[in-house]
Amino acid sequence: MQKLFMITLGIETSCDETAVALYDSEKGLIGEAVFSQIELHGEYGGVIPELASRDHCQKITHIYKTALGKTHPSSIDQIAYTAGPGLLGTLLIGENFAQGLALALNKPLIPVNHLEGHLMAPFLSGEKLDFPFLTLLVSGGHSLIIDVRGLNDYEILGQSRDDAVGEAFDKVAKLIGLGYPGGPEIEKMAQQGDPEKFKFPQPMLHSDDYDFSFSGLKTSVLYSVQDLDKITEDVQADICASFQHAATEVLVKKISKALIDTGREGIILAGGVAANKLLREKISTLQQSLNITVLYPPIAHCTDNAAMIAYLGSLKTNEATYQLNSHARPRWPLGDAIG
Amino acid sequence: MKILSLDVSGNYSSISLLHNDEVNTFTQTHDRKDRPDWDKLFTRIGFDSKEGFDSLDGMAFACGPGSYTALRITASFLKAIAEVKKLPLIAISNLLSIAHEASQWIDEADANIYVALEADKKESYFCSYHKNSHKLTPLISEGIMQMDELLDLLKKDDGYFVGTGWPTEAENHQHFLNQVIGSAEPIAIIAKQSLETGESFLPEDANPVYLKTPNYKKS
């Protein structure tokens, strides 16, 4: 007889966060631990895959033990892990750790799509939103507008044709001498800046689709920086404010167009860039003007985390398997079946 | 004493089950990019992966140097099992493992053993050991050696040479032991000796050894 309530262990190692979480289908999130490698990669201005893999391997046992806390491993009913998309070397750490746990505990495995985890993250805290809805997924690796019609039923309406928006934040931060990751650095600096000082382009703002392009915006910042004799703190602040204004303007205009065209009445804002306060303010204004429902994951669950993986796994019990085959896929398009 | 060991550090996957003085080993060569099939490896040595872990006294794996990804895959897999089953997990150097296997082929009670494992075309992972009776003592710390340095060692000819990292001149050298190819068997034997010391071996401390850190450009 199947248990009414299940505990799902989630493992996330797709990039630079080593994360493990426990989701109880009755009580919600009952354990979580995350280790961020930001400091490790900071001096390189971006994630170094080999260093990321080394660190995941070293930290994962400790993170698992921390997330578990006083929960006995035997109470875990199933193990979900990120199988893609992400860095192959780091995905394999999570996958093999998950396989080891599955074998030792005699529990099934559920390989899940990391992007799908982000789509479902707001529901972790008990928020409600009926299907269908749109999701704006914005992070260092993705800029996507997704039509979410149901679990396993997704359509990508728009995406970046070049850099992801979070990647553009990182690159601009690097250009003007700020640290990594660029998002929080730019946001902090922008508070003192004038968003009208630099007239940066808002690429594809009026195109008749839902796609983005952030490479040109980044290049425009580069040209502005090259024209300057010296980058003072005030100039840095103005560049940050102007860049942030341009980037968020495009995101909001595109999601607005998608909402109007599809008639959807709700959106989920997900991914690391979803933590940006200016973006949230603009989405809030849109919420009032279009009278829609907007859900945001808690800030801690905007970035990569295992809670969303555990939660997603709890919805996919029918996909659980005792096979130890490798499913790790660096490129795993949303909506595709497990590889 | 019962120990399960894995060596998936190169172009092969090898598994051993040591039970007292008997060792059952299966080794399969494959492409460096292939991922190990854990189920198949367990099956080939008749290890029951549902119940068998509870009867073990410890587990061990070849921790490198070798293929970075293969080392991490093995370490991550065994760390999880060791943590759940509360088993010691012992990380054994590939260089030491090869030296141990080589020592079985050397009749002299006293001999030097030089181990070089391929890192890339220009350099190799290296360590040297002294065999005294049945004991192996490292003569230096594990490190990286250039091809011309290895060639000098071959010319000096004061010991036995093993491993995949030697210049082509080694192939015809009278003291090159080409029958030593590496497997999980010496890993299990060395692990048994380590466990008998009474030392504790926690899963979080059992990590791959790389010996090389790529020189990435800093911003």
Side-chain angles (χ1 to χ4, degrees):
Chain A
M1 192 175 133
Q2 197 176 350
K3 281 170 69 177
L4 284 177
F5 304 110
M6 298 191 88
I7 294 181
T8 307
L9 182 93
I11 299 174
E12 158 62 34
T13 59
S14 66
C15 189
D16 59 346
E17 260 97 23
T18 314
V20 178
L22 276 176
Y23 181 81
D24 182 321
S25 56
E26 183 190 24
K27 298 173 186 162
L29 195 61
I30 56 170
E32 185 177 21
V34 185
F35 180 82
S36 170
Q37 300 176 355
I38 283 175
E39 271 188 45
L40 176 68
H41 302 291
E43 59 182 324
Y44 303 100
V47 176
I48 304 289
E50 174 58 23
L51 298 183
S53 299
R54 290 184 182 192
D55 207 54
H56 281 302
C57 187
Q58 198 166 8
K59 301 276 180 5
I60 195 157
T61 312
H62 174 68
I63 296 300
Y64 162 77
K65 285 162 74 175
T66 307
L68 216 59
K70 289 181 179 164
T71 305
H72 197 274
S74 62
S75 63
I76 296 168
D77 295 298
Q78 52 186 13
I79 298 151
Y81 68 94
T82 300
L87 303 168
L88 180 61
T90 63
L91 290 169
L92 287 170
I93 307 292
E95 178 170 78
N96 281 275
F97 193 80
Q99 289 180 345
L101 290 179
L103 197 63
L105 294 167
N106 194 24
K107 301 294 180 187
L109 285 163
I110 308 171
V112 304
N113 186 304
H114 173 85
L115 298 176
E116 201 176 352
H118 276 301
L119 300 188
M120 297 297 151
F123 299 123
L124 258 169
S125 44
E127 301 263 22
K128 300 269 187 266
L129 182 63
D130 291 334
F131 296 116
F133 55 81
L134 297 183
T135 293
L136 176 63
L137 175 55
V138 277
S139 68
H142 309 280
S143 304
L144 300 167
I145 293 177
I146 304 153
D147 190 21
V148 183
R149 297 167 189 145
L151 191 66
N152 293 334
D153 187 6
Y154 315 108
E155 185 187 354
I156 293 174
L157 302 180
Q159 58 192 312
S160 178
R161 295 183 181 182
D162 38 57
D163 292 351
V165 63
E167 193 181 354
F169 270 85
D170 288 340
K171 287 176 177 174
V172 166
K174 197 172 173 180
L175 276 175
I176 58 173
L178 297 179
Y180 171 86
E185 296 277 327
I186 286 180
E187 185 174 2
K188 191 175 156 194
M189 207 69 191
Q191 288 171 359
Q192 272 79 50
D194 175 2
E196 303 294 330
K197 189 81 179 179
F198 292 87
K199 302 290 179 200
F200 292 133
Q202 297 172 10
M204 301 187 71
L205 191 68
H206 303 293
S207 66
D208 195 29
D209 54 31
Y210 312 107
D211 285 349
F212 308 103
S213 167
F214 294 101
S215 179
L217 171 57
K218 173 202 70 190
T219 307
S220 178
V221 175
L222 172 68
Y223 290 152
S224 300
V225 168
Q226 285 173 343
D227 288 343
L228 295 165
D229 295 330
K230 192 181 171 192
I231 306 179
T232 62
E233 236 177 67
D234 286 344
V235 172
Q236 269 183 330
D238 290 337
I239 290 174
C240 288
S242 303
F243 166 77
Q244 186 180 242
H245 167 70
T248 53
E249 202 61 21
V250 179
L251 293 173
V252 174
K253 285 278 161 59
K254 291 288 178 166
I255 191 71
S256 170
K257 176 176 164 52
L259 280 164
I260 292 164
D261 292 353
T262 59
R264 302 292 184 237
E265 293 171 347
I267 59 170
I268 283 178
L269 196 58
V273 181
N276 182 281
K277 288 191 186 71
L278 181 64
L279 179 62
R280 287 189 174 215
E281 278 171 28
K282 289 182 178 180
I283 293 286
S284 178
T285 306
L286 185 71
Q287 179 180 11
Q288 285 163 20
S289 67
L290 296 181
N291 193 25
I292 52 165
T293 306
V294 181
L295 292 189
Y296 306 93
I299 297 285
H301 293 151
C302 281
T303 50
D304 293 349
N305 65 88
M308 66 185 192
I309 302 302
Y311 175 70
L312 180 60
S314 75
L315 305 177
K316 291 180 173 263
T317 302
N318 59 330
E319 293 179 20
T321 172
Y322 284 87
Q323 300 286 314
L324 298 185
N325 304 357
S326 179
H327 298 282
R329 287 171 74 180
R331 293 173 192 273
W332 182 1
L334 193 65
D336 270 21
I338 297 165
Chain B
M1 189 175 277
K2 210 169 181 180
I3 295 169
L4 182 78
S5 65
L6 285 167
D7 179 355
V8 194
S9 51
N11 303 327
Y12 60 85
S13 293
S14 183
I15 185 167
S16 287
L17 185 64
L18 177 150
H19 191 190
N20 296 328
D21 290 326
E22 279 187 30
V23 190
N24 183 11
T25 299
F26 171 73
T27 302
Q28 181 181 40
T29 55
H30 53 69
D31 193 274
R32 205 174 171 88
K33 286 179 183 171
D34 288 348
R35 299 171 200 169
D37 183 336
W38 303 124
D39 281 332
K40 190 177 171 186
L41 288 173
F42 291 137
T43 304
R44 293 303 289 263
I45 56 159
F47 181 75
D48 177 2
S49 60
K50 293 276 185 292
E51 311 284 339
F53 292 111
D54 292 321
S55 68
L56 295 177
D57 294 291
M59 297 192 296
F61 68 102
C63 66
S67 157
Y68 296 166
T69 302
L71 296 173
R72 286 191 286 261
I73 283 175
T74 314
S76 305
F77 180 64
L78 292 181
K79 274 170 184 259
I81 298 170
E83 180 56 36
V84 170
K85 297 295 183 185
K86 299 297 171 205
L87 286 169
L89 180 61
I90 307 155
I92 307 283
S93 156
N94 281 74
L95 293 160
L96 176 62
S97 166
I98 292 277
H100 189 280
E101 189 181 337
S103 71
Q104 313 299 311
W105 292 90
I106 299 168
D107 293 333
E108 293 104 300
D110 276 279
N112 288 335
I113 302 172
Y114 299 105
V115 188
L117 295 175
E118 184 184 1
D120 55 46
K121 284 177 183 170
K122 292 179 183 169
E123 54 191 21
S124 293
Y125 304 113
F126 180 83
C127 197
S128 55
Y129 301 86
H130 181 70
K131 179 200 169 194
N132 186 327
S133 226
H134 293 293
K135 200 178 165 201
L136 278 176
T137 310
L139 296 172
I140 55 168
S141 299
E142 294 183 354
I144 302 291
M145 189 89 85
Q146 306 300 312
M147 284 298 151
D148 51 354
E149 294 174 287
L150 293 169
L151 204 54
D152 289 345
L153 268 175
L154 282 171
K155 286 175 186 163
K156 203 173 161 192
D157 194 18
D158 67 344
Y160 289 87
F161 307 95
V162 279
T164 55
W166 294 94
T168 48
E169 287 83 346
E171 286 168 21
N172 299 319
H173 196 287
Q174 59 173 340
H175 290 132
F176 183 70
L177 303 174
N178 60 5
Q179 66 272 46
V180 178
I181 52 171
S183 82
E185 188 168 322
I187 302 288
I189 295 167
I190 299 167
K192 182 177 177 243
Q193 292 164 356
S194 303
L195 274 178
E196 284 168 348
T197 64
E199 204 180 322
S200 65
F201 296 92
L202 297 172
E204 50 263 59
D205 297 333
N207 290 303
V209 169
Y210 302 100
L211 293 185
K212 285 175 81 172
T213 299
N215 193 17
Y216 300 109
K217 191 182 166 191
K218 293 183 180 176
S219 61

